[in-house]
Amino acid sequence: MTASSGFLHGFPIRQLKGVGPALAEKLGKLGIHSVEDLLFLLPRQYEDRSHITPFGALIPGMTTLAEGEVKLTDIALGRRRALLVRLRDHSGGLTLRFYHFRQSQKESYKPGLRLRVFGEVRMGPLGPEMIHPEVEHVSSDSGLSDDASASTGLTATLTPIYPLVDGLSQRRLRELMARALPLLDQPDALIDVLPARSTGGWTLADALRHVHAPPLDSDRRRLIAGEHPAQQRLAFEELVAHQLSLFQRRQLQRQLPAPVCRDSTNLSADFLAQLPFQLTDGQSQVLQEIRQDLLRPLPMLRLVQGDVGSGKTVVAALAACPALASGYQVAIMAPTEILAEQHRQRFQSWFEPLGIRVGWLAGKLTGKARQQQLDSIASGECQLLTGTHALFQDSVQFAHLGLVIIDEQHRFGVEQRLALTRKGQSNGMAPHQLIMTATPIPRTLAMSAYGDLDTSVIHGLPPGRQPIQTVVLPASRRDDLIARIAHHVASGQQVYWVCTLIEDSEQIQAQAAEVAAELLREALPDLAIGLVHGQLKAAEKAAIMAEFAAGRLAVLVATTVIEVGVDVPNASLMVIENPERLGLSQLHQLRGRVGRGQAASFCVLLYQAPLSGLGRERLQILRDSQDGFVIAEKDLSLRGPGEVLGTRQTGDVSFRIADLLRDQHLLPAARQLAEHIAKDNPRHDHPLLQRWIAQRDHYASV
Ligand code: ADP
Ligand code: MG
């Protein structure tokens, strides 16, 4: 019998009133299966809809409710057609501006009608205005709508804004929360496991009530920044749980020896002899550190950080040599199919001439071919296996796995890494682990995220690299840019055109890329233009990448699927659309796809005007630096509270609530408490693990 973390843990979301199968499925996409999961879905923004600001008191930049009477409607025919609605109240005027509108909408805003609107105020040509505000008709006799649940009704708490998925509205989520929160009043709803002295007096239930329905006098700025004590209480608990799982795993791992890997056959020397270049000092240094680790009967756990293009792949290959030479298998996991495919080709060309059998496994490999591959992994015939996260599925059994290499770690969750490591443990040994990343993580953070881990840095880039010249251009200069592309291709070089959207939907991203490709094909009818995005089948993606790598496509339009690892040296111009939407480290990664060959390389950041001051500053950092570590640091120092936190930049650990950067200061105490709990309570079913880690970690299967 496992210790319970409370009955809401096992309370299926389907049993909450108002949740049918369709809604349950949508919630499932947000990772919400139980009422507990729902309660841990925290708002990422808060709005104040508690009062109405008179027009005369509107200040640009504020987001607020306002209310007034329609005076006139008009269609402005300027650079962009827009519907304008002029409102007045006793104190002044407000203009509503709609770029997307129907004729019927214009007609519905009759003079004399009272509207309540919610939106961000900006200064327009006629005074304050709101662009595409939420609008509600208010019956003119009462003056106030009495429907408190309406989107623009006055609220008694701050209004939470949740992360959304397609087809699930804020209103719906708020309704669900309103039904779930009262359940917290029942005894044993969620068992509070942290000692009160460690939580600043906040119980779990109080903290959850506060974050979902903050009283009006709650500190909104801190809430938005995620720094409110109620949020910190929750983040702290999650960090404690995470540390507890790390702690227990370390104990587990230390019980097992690792295979001693010695390059007795001089495989490394043969490998180096066939390389067309020499290792850089930075590469040799790191390789030396790895070799030392592999010689010891203790599982290596080493993080290798090296900027984009520093040559991590070769280091991975050479790290594999001692393990292969000692008769152990090596698994190399990449975060995307495109990268896994590229690794397969590269490792095959490097290792097959040396008599090493290289295999490949990805989700799309099916049927007989898959079975054959699985058999050869299980028999040990396949010595070096490349692939995606498909490598850690249950059906994959290694004969004697000695080393796991994870490339571009920031894309993997810790659980996936664990699952792969666990495989090697079946024969009483723990495999060595090598993690490669281009995303710099400060050491303290890395320690907390991975436990006790060693780090190496590949300093410097291979010689002969041309610096990438980065240009910041407004989208209005697109035509000039297209002319430049034609010119660039005429000189024998290739081009990436990257469409970025922050939208989580792969489908929307793919559509945007399709549109961009279509426009480019119209503008450049003579050029071979390819398109690759996440919606394509693996084989299609691979085929297009191969065409591009072979130089048969002049331009590759892509989503951020090409963000990591892709290596086509002849591509020397990259255009990134809407760069203001991505994190700086991510942009740096993308940009690293060019500047790999001998030709001068360019990166054009094609932004949508107007750019905020901060936005401008961020793009400038990118223009002025090519050092990923410098860029990451500057980005961190720039991102104040309120700026969207790019979780993908903060490391690989997928926390629900905690943010390793924001909540760094909580780590020492979380670590201490976790060790304390682990000593008193060696069980692997501690309620904290059940609540925060269980489904996502290996304890579920231990
Ligand atoms: P990353 O560190 O971004 O993963 P890659 O491993 O893809 O970089 O290497 C980038 C390119 O540099 C590849 O084309 C690779 O063959 C080349 N390369 C790696 N090491 C060296 C070296 N020491 N000298 C010259 N070229 C190198
Ligand atoms: Mg790489």
Side-chain angles (χ1 to χ4, degrees):
M1 184 54 209
T2 49
S4 167
S5 60
F7 81 82
L8 291 184
H9 180 72
F11 193 108
I13 192 72
R14 286 239 19 211
Q15 286 176 23
L16 190 67
K17 193 168 155 275
V19 181
L23 183 54
E25 196 192 318
K26 283 178 193 156
L27 290 167
K29 284 194 196 147
L30 287 172
I32 296 171
H33 306 286
S34 67
V35 171
E36 180 186 57
D37 292 337
L38 179 70
L39 289 169
F40 285 125
L41 176 76
L42 298 202
R44 58 175 179 195
Q45 260 293 342
Y46 292 90
E47 289 172 349
D48 187 346
R49 297 177 179 229
S50 66
H51 63 277
I52 291 171
T53 310
F55 293 164
L58 293 175
I59 299 168
M62 84 196 297
T63 299
T64 185
L65 275 181
E67 186 177 312
E69 200 179 293
V70 177
K71 284 296 162 195
L72 64 101
T73 57
D74 191 15
I75 291 182
L77 306 160
R79 203 157 46 94
R80 270 180 93 184
R81 228 168 81 91
L83 169 64
L84 302 182
V85 181
R86 288 285 297 162
L87 302 182
R88 282 204 74 79
D89 72 357
H90 62 278
S91 65
L94 171 68
T95 305
L96 312 182
R97 186 181 289 271
F98 300 90
Y99 291 113
H100 310 284
F101 61 95
R102 299 208 187 91
Q103 191 59 28
S104 59
Q105 194 178 354
K106 173 171 189 282
E107 278 147 23
S108 73
Y109 294 138
K110 294 215 166 39
L113 191 69
R114 278 190 83 75
L115 297 183
R116 181 173 291 173
V117 296
F118 182 83
E120 188 180 338
V121 180
R122 45 164 258 169
M123 203 33 87
L126 305 169
E129 60 177 46
M130 288 183 180
I131 298 178
H132 286 269
E134 289 173 34
V135 181
E136 194 186 3
H137 298 208
V138 182
S139 51
S140 42
D141 42 344
S142 78
L144 279 180
S145 158
D146 54 7
D147 176 6
S149 72
S151 58
T152 51
L154 297 186
T155 56
T157 66
L158 293 177
T159 304
I161 310 291
Y162 294 95
L164 281 187
V165 285
D166 296 344
L168 196 61
S169 69
Q170 291 295 339
R171 192 182 292 207
R172 202 67 183 277
L173 272 170
R174 285 181 207 136
E175 282 165 13
L176 291 178
M177 290 299 178
R179 279 194 206 115
L181 284 172
L183 296 174
L184 284 172
D185 299 337
Q186 299 187 28
D188 299 342
L190 291 179
I191 309 284
D192 225 326
V193 266
L194 298 189
R197 64 184 151 71
S198 71
T199 61
W202 285 88
T203 65
L204 185 57
D206 282 347
L208 286 170
R209 284 188 200 102
H210 197 98
V211 297
H212 290 295
L216 288 176
D217 61 357
S218 183
D219 186 337
R220 190 164 147 252
R221 192 201 60 78
R222 284 174 93 185
L223 279 171
I224 291 173
E227 290 165 354
H228 190 280
Q231 293 159 315
Q232 294 278 290
R233 154 72 177 79
L234 300 173
F236 180 71
E237 177 169 327
E238 184 171 30
L239 289 173
V240 172
H242 182 74
Q243 290 295 320
L244 182 61
S245 87
L246 281 179
F247 196 80
Q248 295 189 338
R249 195 172 65 239
R250 272 200 302 277
Q251 285 177 331
L252 211 88
Q253 206 167 19
R254 284 193 184 136
Q255 293 166 356
L256 298 176
V260 171
C261 300
R262 189 184 307 278
D263 187 1
S264 43
T265 64
N266 280 328
L267 185 60
S268 307
D270 295 342
F271 183 95
L272 282 169
Q274 62 162 22
L275 265 192
F277 49 74
Q278 296 215 309
L279 295 188
T280 64
D281 290 346
Q283 287 170 319
S284 306
Q285 176 66 40
V286 169
L287 194 58
Q288 207 45 45
E289 291 165 5
I290 296 169
R291 284 188 180 137
Q292 293 298 328
D293 289 348
L294 294 176
L295 284 172
R296 294 188 299 166
L298 296 169
M300 166 175 78
L301 184 52
R302 185 171 286 280
L303 177 73
V304 173
Q305 303 185 43
D307 206 349
V308 194
S310 59
K312 292 183 289 292
T313 322
V314 167
V315 172
L318 280 155
C321 288
L324 294 168
S326 307
Y328 295 102
Q329 289 168 301
V330 176
I332 299 173
M333 181 157 80
T336 63
E337 282 180 0
I338 288 178
L339 190 50
E341 174 64 28
Q342 184 179 289
H343 278 346
R344 159 166 70 168
Q345 289 167 9
R346 198 163 290 175
F347 284 90
Q348 272 175 349
S349 75
W350 280 333
F351 280 106
E352 289 192 340
L354 302 175
I356 303 286
R357 282 172 306 273
V358 177
W360 182 74
L361 200 62
K364 300 292 159 66
L365 188 69
T366 52
K368 204 167 152 213
R370 179 182 198 83
Q371 196 50 52
Q372 277 173 355
Q373 188 60 265
L374 291 175
D375 291 345
S376 85
I377 298 166
S379 71
E381 184 195 324
C382 165
Q383 294 162 284
L384 195 155
L385 181 65
T386 62
T388 60
H389 53 279
L391 297 193
F392 69 79
Q393 285 161 356
D394 283 343
S395 51
V396 186
Q397 293 299 331
F398 289 88
H400 30 64
L401 182 61
L403 171 65
V404 174
I405 300 175
I406 298 172
D407 196 15
E408 303 296 359
Q409 161 73 3
H410 64 295
R411 289 304 203 79
F412 283 111
V414 130
E415 324 78 72
Q416 290 166 313
R417 192 162 60 81
L418 284 177
L420 191 52
T421 325
R422 205 161 64 234
K423 297 207 161 292
Q425 292 178 353
S426 53
N427 51 5
M429 293 235 217
H432 297 287
Q433 267 187 67
L434 189 62
I435 303 157
M436 316 280 235
T437 177
T439 310
I441 310 169
R443 192 178 149 70
T444 47
L445 288 191
M447 289 271 296
S448 338
Y450 308 113
D452 288 334
L453 121 161
D454 298 307
T455 51
S456 304
V457 176
I458 303 182
H459 293 287
L461 297 177
R465 286 283 163 78
Q466 301 285 332
I468 304 167
Q469 196 188 328
T470 300
V471 185
V472 180
L473 268 194
S476 55
R477 300 274 305 278
R478 185 182 281 256
D479 292 346
D480 299 345
L481 180 61
I482 288 179
R484 186 161 159 186
I485 288 179
H487 189 73
H488 199 79
V489 171
S491 73
Q493 302 288 305
Q494 289 166 278
V495 180
Y496 292 104
W497 183 289
V498 186
C499 304
T500 72
L501 284 178
I502 28 176
E503 234 93 16
D504 272 341
S505 156
E506 288 261 7
Q507 206 178 337
I508 293 176
Q509 297 220 14
Q511 278 167 6
E514 270 162 24
V515 170
E518 219 28 69
L519 291 175
L520 280 175
R521 282 179 186 136
E522 271 169 32
L524 299 166
D526 299 336
L527 300 189
I529 296 177
L531 169 65
V532 63
H533 56 67
Q535 294 283 96
L536 296 180
K537 293 214 170 71
E540 290 172 309
K541 273 189 266 189
I544 292 163
M545 290 310 297
E547 287 283 288
F548 188 66
R552 285 192 290 272
L553 291 173
V555 180
L556 184 67
V557 178
T559 60
T560 48
V561 293
I562 59 154
E563 175 186 342
V564 287
V566 171
D567 186 39
V568 179
N570 193 48
S572 56
L573 169 61
M574 170 174 282
V575 178
I576 305 178
E577 279 196 273
N578 305 319
E580 65 278 9
R581 295 182 182 174
L582 294 187
L584 286 192
S585 292
Q586 204 184 348
L587 285 168
H588 178 65
Q589 274 283 329
L590 270 171
R591 175 174 65 176
R593 302 308 115 222
V594 296
R596 295 178 164 246
Q598 300 301 318
S601 290
F602 304 89
C603 175
V604 179
L605 304 174
L606 197 62
Y607 67 90
Q608 286 296 337
L611 210 51
S612 69
L614 181 64
R616 190 174 305 273
E617 217 176 317
R618 294 173 81 241
L619 294 189
Q620 255 158 26
I621 290 174
L622 211 66
R623 196 187 61 194
D624 296 342
S625 177
Q626 277 190 61
D627 183 327
F629 289 74
V630 171
I631 290 171
E633 263 170 31
K634 289 226 167 129
D635 194 22
L636 290 185
S637 67
L638 262 192
R639 290 187 300 177
E643 177 78 353
V644 188
L645 279 174
T647 44
R648 282 175 38 184
Q649 287 190 28
T650 58
D652 68 319
V653 186
S654 45
F655 288 106
R656 276 189 267 176
I657 292 173
D659 180 296
L660 277 181
L661 292 171
R662 183 191 65 206
D663 302 329
Q664 259 183 89
H665 63 283
L666 298 175
L667 279 168
R671 214 174 154 99
Q672 215 178 5
L673 183 55
E675 291 199 17
H676 195 76
I677 294 174
K679 286 207 183 88
D680 282 0
N681 186 338
R683 301 162 55 138
H684 284 178
D685 59 357
H686 191 276
L688 272 181
L689 298 175
Q690 202 185 97
R691 174 172 301 152
W692 293 99
I693 315 278
Q695 294 127 10
R696 321 190 284 164
D697 202 295
H698 68 307
Y699 294 106
S701 57
V702 161

